[in-house]
Amino acid sequence: MKVRVLGSAAGGGFPQWNCNCPNCSAVRKGSPHLQARTQSSIAATADATNWVLFNASPDILEQLKSFPTLQPARALRDTAIRAVFLMDAQIDHTTGLYMLREHRQKLELWCHSLVREDLSTGNPLLKVLEHYCGVNWHEVPLSSAGFGMPEVPGLHFEAIPLTSNAPPYSPHRNQPQPGDNVGVTLVDAATGKRLFYAPGLGQMEAPVWAAMQAADCVLVDGTLWTNDEMITLGASRKTSRDMGHMPQSGPDGMMEWLDKLPARTRKILIHINNTNPILDEASPQRAELHSHGIEVAYDGMDIEL
């Protein structure tokens, strides 16, 4: 199984267009300790030919240009992306579908029915796409049996509901329902290797922890360093947990949980917000992560299991 990190930042990317926090200011000034990032998305394959795209960020065109493998050029119109999997209905994970509208066939779209509902009503993206390529929607079941995608042979998928938050245009906003946000385990059918992916994780629960413990690699929510990070900077009135993201530090934080994983587990943070000090490779927070054996995802990162 090969996984490519197409984008590693949270919504807005890094630097965010209207943000002048210390990180955004430093990267604009060319600091050697920070590197720009696009909004979070990954692609995975078992045969190096047929890929599934996880989330379609607003930066999808830039991400595709940076990874020529996804444009094999076998025909006049071609792509190696055979299916798209949406973890949720958030703008930063779905807007890129508009950029894929020139697809010659219907997009093979996998998501939970609640995500489909949000993208057909509050943000009717799927209705708009019907005027272009259209979509073949596939329900993502929340069951331990998992499922396969005929278009992406060699991979098996097991989705579980996460406690996070639905988009502002969802009727479930602040009252999340199972399926609004999911985590997924990717299993290589040939080797049995497992990767758990959850870019939006608001609370550790038993099924999530079991999936993380069983994985050879976890690629999980790294949005904010502290729970009050956005409030302290004056960027928001909401805490990290209010927004549906576990902070890395503090009691019951992501770092505390990652420390409990087996020594063999590769631990990587993704979906990094522009305010998070771990973006600065020279920061004490980054050094602390390193001392705990935790990596920070970057655009163009390759993971092979």
Side-chain angles (χ1 to χ4, degrees):
M1 172 167 47
K2 295 181 179 180
V3 174
R4 173 78 168 205
V5 175
L6 298 172
S8 53
F14 178 61
Q16 183 173 302
W17 68 279
N18 66 341
C19 184
N20 294 298
C21 71
N23 282 345
C24 289
S25 295
V27 76
R28 286 195 188 99
K29 293 175 182 177
S31 170
H33 304 302
L34 298 101
Q35 57 179 304
R37 287 167 160 81
T38 59
Q39 294 168 86
S40 70
S41 177
I42 67 171
T45 184
D47 61 8
T49 299
N50 302 287
W51 294 73
V52 52
L53 175 69
F54 288 85
N55 294 332
S57 93
D59 302 314
I60 185 67
L61 296 184
E62 180 181 346
Q63 293 166 349
L64 294 179
K65 289 176 184 176
S66 70
F67 190 39
T69 299
L70 295 182
Q71 176 46 267
R74 297 163 296 196
L76 181 63
R77 295 282 193 265
D78 194 20
T79 179
I81 298 173
R82 301 298 311 282
V84 181
F85 186 116
L86 299 180
M87 314 294 289
D88 53 48
Q90 299 286 352
I91 282 178
D92 51 313
H93 289 161
T94 60
T95 305
L97 291 175
Y98 284 128
M99 311 307 157
L100 304 181
R101 66 189 182 278
E102 296 95 349
H103 197 41
R104 296 192 68 176
Q105 296 82 36
K106 290 187 175 184
L107 291 172
E108 301 295 336
L109 184 67
W110 294 76
C111 64
H112 191 271
S113 57
L114 292 179
V115 172
R116 183 194 188 198
E117 177 187 349
D118 285 345
L119 295 179
S120 301
T121 55
N123 178 18
L125 183 154
L126 299 184
K127 291 184 178 180
V128 174
L129 284 178
E130 287 303 324
H131 295 281
Y132 297 92
C133 59
V135 300
N136 280 330
W137 173 66
H138 306 270
E139 171 78 59
V140 167
L142 303 179
S143 69
S144 57
F147 60 97
M149 296 181 186
E151 303 82 13
V152 188
L155 290 179
H156 185 75
F157 307 88
E158 300 168 6
I160 56 174
L162 303 180
T163 296
S164 187
N165 209 344
Y169 41 82
S170 172
H172 316 133
R173 180 68 169 182
N174 298 322
Q175 294 180 323
Q177 305 296 311
D180 280 327
N181 186 291
V182 302
V184 63
T185 296
L186 287 68
V187 185
D188 187 309
T191 67
K193 294 289 186 179
R194 304 169 71 90
L195 179 140
F196 179 70
Y197 180 51
L201 180 55
Q203 182 178 320
M204 191 63 68
E205 296 172 302
V208 177
W209 182 233
M212 289 175 64
Q213 288 179 294
D216 298 281
C217 177
V218 296
L219 188 58
V220 292
D221 194 331
T223 307
L224 297 170
W225 178 253
T226 61
N227 193 43
D228 63 354
E229 183 174 310
M230 299 288 279
I231 298 173
T232 300
L233 282 171
S236 173
R237 296 179 181 179
K238 295 181 179 180
T239 67
S240 179
R241 295 186 189 275
D242 286 341
M243 294 186 288
H245 299 286
M246 292 176 62
Q248 279 113 64
S249 62
D252 196 39
M254 186 65 76
M255 188 161 49
E256 183 178 287
W257 282 98
L258 293 179
D259 281 345
K260 301 175 185 179
L261 288 173
R264 63 174 176 78
T265 310
R266 188 175 179 185
K267 301 169 286 189
I268 309 172
L269 297 176
I270 194 169
H271 197 269
I272 319 299
N273 196 61
N274 63 84
T275 58
N276 195 328
I278 67 173
L279 288 171
D280 185 344
E281 297 172 5
S283 67
Q285 293 87 351
R286 188 65 168 266
E288 185 173 356
L289 287 182
H290 182 74
S291 71
H292 287 260
I294 301 170
E295 302 173 61
V296 177
Y298 55 88
D299 292 19
M301 183 183 207
D302 288 312
I303 303 166
E304 188 164 349
L305 298 173

